Amino acid sequence: MIRDVSHADAAALAAIYNHYIENTVATFEEDALTEAAFVQRIDAVLDAGFPWLVLEEGGELLGYAYAARFKERVAYRYSVESTVYLKPGVTGGGRGTALYEALFARLQPLGIHAVIGGITLPNPASVALHEKLGMEQVAHFPEVGFKQGKWLDVGYWQLNFEST
């Protein structure tokens, strides 16, 4: 079941994200987030009028996806950056696709034109997910992040919705 996020989800979602902070280079954050900090992030997304969705199966939260402002300048108001994370061990089963499809369906009626996803490279699974949904690579920045003792590349994938 994919549904809107609630504050009650914050601890479980922070646990998912903190795994990626502490064990991977998928995010460039280095300090784990508290439940309270995660609630603040949820509120920032919702207060901006964007969707934050969670995937729940059998009462367990397995992942989330949300959209946030791509940049603050007013001319970017029809562009968002998308994010998706799944609980370790549940990737590869179509859950990320389902979350992104639901997110995209919620963004289009908001008048969003461009969805942009950033990926730490290399990450073949994330690249495959974004490209499966029609996103195309539009940028590659070599060695722009430093985490776990190494320089990391970042790529950006973009999908433009049809104008109505």
Side-chain angles (χ1 to χ4, degrees):
M1 172 178 72
I2 295 176
R3 61 170 175 78
D4 291 326
V5 72
S6 76
H7 286 170
D9 301 324
L13 299 182
I16 291 169
Y17 187 54
N18 285 339
H19 164 81
Y20 291 94
I21 291 173
E22 296 167 349
N23 301 295
T24 78
V25 295
T27 175
F28 284 1
E29 294 200 66
E30 295 183 334
D31 297 319
L33 298 179
T34 64
E35 179 180 353
F38 215 83
V39 166
Q40 289 177 337
R41 291 186 182 198
I42 291 168
D43 286 344
V45 167
L46 299 180
D47 290 348
F50 297 117
W52 187 311
L53 305 174
V54 298
L55 173 68
E56 185 177 355
E57 291 181 11
E60 181 182 10
L61 292 179
L62 299 183
Y64 64 92
Y66 67 90
R69 292 187 195 287
F70 174 64
K71 290 196 176 271
E72 290 300 316
R73 305 286 190 267
V74 71
Y76 291 111
R77 68 188 171 277
Y78 300 110
S79 300
V80 295
E81 185 168 4
S82 60
T83 298
V84 63
Y85 281 98
L86 294 173
K87 186 174 180 176
V90 301
T91 60
R95 293 176 179 95
T97 300
L99 276 165
Y100 255 2
E101 286 174 343
L103 180 67
F104 291 0
R106 295 281 293 276
L107 291 171
Q108 287 179 289
L110 298 176
I112 297 303
H113 178 67
V115 180
I116 301 158
I119 304 172
T120 305
L121 299 173
N123 187 336
S126 188
V127 169
L129 170 63
H130 286 77
E131 291 181 352
K132 178 179 182 180
L133 292 158
M135 300 179 87
E136 297 179 356
Q137 186 173 9
V138 294
H140 183 132
F141 299 105
E143 298 184 0
V144 294
F146 188 82
K147 185 175 177 182
Q148 295 182 352
K150 58 186 171 188
W151 288 105
L152 302 164
D153 294 4
V154 173
Y156 281 91
W157 274 253
Q158 179 175 335
L159 173 67
N160 287 353
F161 297 133
E162 296 285 326
S163 296
T164 55

